[in-house]
Amino acid sequence: MPAPALITLIVGDEELLVDRAVAAVVASAREVDPEVDVHDLVPAQVGLSTLVEVTSPSLFGDRRVVVLRSSQDLTKDLAATVVDYLSSPADDVNLVLTHVGGAKGKALLQAATKAGAHRVDCKGPTKGPERVAFVKGEFSAAGRQITGDAAQALVDAVGTELREIAAACTQLIADTEGRVDATAVARYHSGKAEASGFTVADRTVEGRLPEALEQLRWSLAVGTAPVLINSALAGAVRGIAVAAQPPRGMSEADLAKRAKVPPWKMRGLRQQARGWNVRGVTRAMAVVAETDALIKGGGRDPEYALERAVIEIARARGIR
């Protein structure tokens, strides 16, 4: 693996692809020097002294990777300091700038381009065929194959969120062997509660608490990652939020796009949304956010956090 460029510019707002691009630079730097120091910073963590410290040449020749996330949000003074640095970068620092693109922070974007930065574009797929191509790419990268109709079936089952699609691919790759076809995808997603947590999520937003808890315990027992179950809960609540009070005059296709689900799922969402109101949806969204933090390190027991989430979300359906 070649050494990374002194300056890497990652442009786009698809977080999964941005994270992967940053990870690739760090991995490349560690191939050259396993002891490389990595400073991964967001604008709120960056002051002038910090910026100068992490980008100054090392007295001992130690290499560093400095990642400045959301560089378009840097203050004017800090952005100017980075622009000055770009004109004469340190030889032992690999600077990575992430930028969403657009007009904000455009001067920094232009300066990095002028300085010869290696650019990585991270625009996520927005159309169905692009998502199918993404699924095929995930399988190919893992040394596996998936048929075209199977890739389409997977996208239809999971929705439009790229992280959820990637997570579903990872789990399907881990739990199957050989070439994956549409039959395998259908069997995996409709026949196993552990596949995605969708069954848990559906029963929860429908207010069928005993069944939801039963499905949750089964999913956890067979090893489903808690983050995938909560992701399914988040998707279900998001869909309910759209279907419960659709904007007047919005087409079915636009509603599906807003809910981030395939159009054919909207009818089911409308049925599930019966009994929900704004207060309940607001409460359910808060529960999902709290649970996400708990299962990603903020709590001691992810399984307990999920059980609490299922109970609270199911009860939120009845809030008046």
Side-chain angles (χ1 to χ4, degrees):
M1 184 181 294
L6 286 181
I7 304 168
T8 300
L9 177 62
I10 300 173
V11 183
D13 58 0
E14 179 48 66
E15 292 184 2
L16 172 66
L17 301 183
V18 170
D19 287 346
R20 286 182 174 183
V22 170
V25 174
V26 173
S28 179
R30 283 180 171 153
E31 283 285 322
V32 177
D33 179 4
E35 302 300 321
V36 66
D37 286 330
V38 178
H39 303 269
D40 198 333
L41 307 169
V42 296
Q45 298 173 309
V46 181
L48 185 58
S49 60
T50 301
L51 186 59
V52 171
E53 179 183 350
V54 297
T55 58
S56 296
S58 171
L59 294 176
F60 305 101
D62 297 328
R63 293 206 65 81
R64 274 161 290 156
V65 174
V66 178
V67 182
L68 294 182
R69 304 260 184 178
S70 304
S71 61
Q72 74 280 349
D73 294 330
L74 290 170
T75 64
K76 186 176 180 179
D77 290 345
L78 287 174
T81 300
V82 175
V83 169
D84 289 341
Y85 172 85
L86 292 172
S87 64
S88 182
D91 291 336
D92 54 4
V93 176
N94 296 108
L95 178 65
V96 181
L97 300 173
T98 78
H99 193 292
V100 296
K104 188 176 182 182
K106 189 174 181 180
L108 183 56
L109 194 66
Q110 292 173 332
T113 301
K114 185 178 179 180
H118 171 63
R119 177 168 173 145
V120 181
D121 288 305
C122 292
K123 182 178 181 297
T126 58
K127 299 178 181 179
E130 294 173 348
R131 296 187 184 98
V132 169
F134 175 80
V135 169
K136 291 181 177 179
E138 293 292 282
F139 275 77
S140 179
R144 296 284 298 281
Q145 290 184 327
I146 183 170
T147 63
D149 57 345
Q152 182 65 62
L154 187 62
V155 171
D156 289 343
V158 176
T160 60
E161 284 286 341
L162 203 62
R163 283 192 186 276
E164 294 178 16
I165 295 173
C169 289
T170 298
Q171 195 161 13
L172 193 56
I173 288 167
D175 292 348
T176 61
E177 296 181 355
R179 191 181 191 214
V180 175
D181 59 17
T183 302
V185 173
R187 182 172 62 248
Y188 189 77
H189 279 275
S190 63
K192 291 187 177 181
E194 68 269 29
S196 63
F198 289 167
T199 304
V200 177
D202 285 343
R203 298 299 172 269
T204 300
V205 298
E206 290 164 4
R208 297 159 63 177
L209 183 56
E211 293 175 49
L213 289 173
E214 180 183 1
Q215 292 293 333
L216 172 65
R217 288 160 188 159
W218 169 251
S219 296
L220 292 171
V222 296
T224 308
V227 68
L228 293 181
I229 298 175
N230 197 56
S231 178
L233 286 170
V237 171
R238 182 174 59 239
I240 292 296
V242 174
Q245 290 192 319
R248 183 170 297 177
M250 182 170 284
S251 70
E252 193 86 349
D254 288 337
L255 281 174
K257 185 175 181 181
R258 175 173 286 196
K260 298 184 178 180
V261 299
W264 58 266
K265 278 195 173 183
M266 279 308 301
R267 181 177 298 177
L269 276 176
R270 288 182 185 279
Q271 293 177 341
Q272 289 179 331
R274 294 171 183 169
W276 283 90
N277 59 30
V278 174
R279 287 185 61 200
V281 170
T282 301
R283 173 56 185 155
M285 286 181 166
V287 171
V288 166
E290 292 165 6
T291 307
D292 186 64
L294 289 171
I295 64 179
K296 289 181 178 177
R300 295 183 179 180
D301 191 339
E303 295 187 6
Y304 172 77
L306 278 172
E307 185 167 312
R308 171 186 170 275
V310 166
I311 293 170
E312 292 292 328
I313 292 170
R315 287 176 176 171
R317 184 175 182 271
I319 290 178
R320 291 291 180 268

